[in-house]
Amino acid sequence: MRRRIYPVTLPMSEIKSVGVVGGGMMGSGIAQLSAVNGFEVWIHDSDSAALSKANQSISTRIQSIVSKGQLSKEKGAQALRNLNCTSNLEDFGLVDIVIEAIVESEEVKKRLFGLLDNIVKSSAILASNTSSISITRLASATSRPSQVIGMHFMNPPPIMKLVEIIRGANTSDDTFNATKVLAERLGKKIICSQDFSGFIVNRILMPMINEAFHALYTGVATKEDIDAGMKYGTNHPMGPLELADHIGLDVCLSIMRVLYAGLGDSKYAPCPLLVQYVDAGRLGRKKGFGVYNYSKM
């Protein structure tokens, strides 16, 4: 693909426009958060139905927070005007940062970053919402590795306070500082991780979830008692099996495989029960059935 050249109009620290790739729960949440905080936002999904659903869900959520008095009518209306939906990546040509929130697959993310590298202006930052994949390896798919960074939002992005920032081997100070300023403007608490598999949150969280599956698999206790033990014994807002359903069992399995491959320790091997559930299509809330059956609720 022939590289398109766009003018550099802003220093990196002055991010004013945000592109988001992925119309799912994470992508639409990041787009909503950015629009509400005054950024011009472009959200992309190649699936027109998913894009339409994302647009509708963002509009509904913004109207809801306005009705609850958490956002003024004027700011709610402006947030909706800030939002642009597109199925054409070429529309990202002038954004200051692109945050990808697509499937947790290194191959797919690298392919996307290679495409974006030839579309966005030369000063633009490419950020990944990956929860486990090496930023250094993602950056290798581009001609701008110093401008590639990890920006891991928690689910759902408009509510959860944390953003985990991950520097790749070549991420520049300018890129890090601009991303940190953006996260602060979005009202987030920031933690910083080196580029190791799983980073901070999932390096700790996913083995706990995996161990909960082992406890269920080996008959230590029922799923209800495992979750209740962590909720009422350690003051977690939900149990690890319930949380796995919320995240998506396929996502949990993918992260455990990244941890196992990247760290080479058998303690990160995915529990056979987790593998079996994913193979059976029991992916959690998004499919109506995971550890728990949500079709009966």
Side-chain angles (χ1 to χ4, degrees):
M1 182 185 294
R2 187 175 179 180
R3 181 172 177 77
R4 300 172 65 187
I5 305 299
Y6 291 95
V8 179
T9 57
L10 294 168
M12 280 188 184
S13 59
E14 297 182 24
I15 292 173
K16 293 186 178 180
S17 56
V18 177
V20 179
V21 183
M25 185 179 297
M26 291 301 297
S28 65
I30 295 167
Q32 174 191 327
L33 182 66
S34 302
V36 166
N37 282 279
F39 294 92
E40 178 188 10
V41 179
W42 289 84
I43 182 170
H44 169 277
D45 202 293
S46 57
D47 184 334
S48 59
L51 190 62
S52 177
K53 182 179 179 181
N55 186 34
Q56 183 58 52
S57 65
I58 293 169
S59 177
T60 299
R61 291 195 298 261
I62 289 175
Q63 290 169 9
S64 175
I65 59 178
V66 167
S67 68
K68 294 175 181 176
Q70 298 169 346
L71 189 70
S72 70
K73 288 183 179 180
E74 293 76 15
K75 287 186 177 181
Q78 183 59 54
L80 293 173
R81 289 194 294 271
N82 289 341
L83 185 68
N84 305 277
C85 296
T86 181
S87 57
N88 184 4
L89 279 177
E90 298 287 337
D91 287 331
F92 282 17
L94 293 176
V95 300
D96 300 315
I97 186 170
V98 179
I99 305 170
E100 69 79 12
I102 60 172
V103 63
E104 191 72 353
S105 162
E106 181 174 334
E107 180 182 353
V108 176
K109 289 181 188 294
K110 288 175 77 171
R111 185 161 59 244
L112 172 64
F113 271 29
L115 291 172
L116 289 169
D117 189 38
N118 288 298
I119 291 172
V120 301
K121 61 186 179 181
S122 58
S123 65
I125 294 170
L126 299 179
S128 175
N129 184 55
T130 179
S131 55
S132 61
I133 297 169
S134 168
I135 302 303
T136 302
R137 292 202 301 270
L138 295 181
S140 71
T142 78
S143 63
R144 62 180 82 200
S146 66
Q147 292 162 234
V148 178
I149 196 164
M151 195 177 189
H152 179 209
F153 290 80
M154 305 298 117
N155 188 16
I159 296 173
M160 299 296 283
K161 294 296 185 182
L162 186 71
V163 166
E164 191 174 29
I165 297 178
I166 307 98
R167 298 181 69 150
N170 296 303
T171 304
S172 70
D173 289 343
D174 281 348
T175 297
F176 171 78
N177 290 332
T179 305
K180 183 174 181 289
V181 168
L182 172 60
E184 288 170 344
R185 287 185 59 190
L186 295 176
K188 299 303 182 184
K189 171 69 177 177
I190 299 160
I191 60 173
C192 302
S193 173
Q194 298 300 312
D195 193 18
F196 290 98
S197 298
F199 316 134
I200 300 170
V201 174
N202 282 325
R203 174 77 175 265
I204 297 167
L205 174 63
M206 287 301 157
M208 182 189 75
I209 287 175
N210 198 51
E211 191 61 29
F213 271 94
H214 274 294
L216 183 62
Y217 181 53
T218 57
V220 171
T222 64
K223 55 183 179 289
E224 292 84 2
D225 281 350
I226 291 168
D227 278 346
M230 296 306 291
K231 282 196 288 187
Y232 303 115
T234 62
N235 206 29
H236 288 198
M238 65 177 73
L241 299 173
E242 182 184 3
L243 178 58
D245 275 353
H246 179 72
I247 295 168
L249 300 193
D250 53 334
V251 176
C252 294
L253 178 58
S254 175
I255 295 170
M256 286 307 303
R257 284 174 168 161
V258 168
L259 288 171
Y260 188 36
L263 299 172
D265 192 319
S266 60
K267 71 180 181 180
Y268 297 112
C271 175
L273 185 62
L274 174 58
V275 176
Q276 184 183 74
Y277 279 9
V278 173
D279 286 346
R282 294 173 58 169
L283 305 185
R285 280 188 173 274
K286 61 187 174 185
K287 292 295 184 180
F289 194 21
V291 179
Y292 296 91
N293 188 346
Y294 298 93
S295 65
K296 297 179 179 179
M297 294 182 177

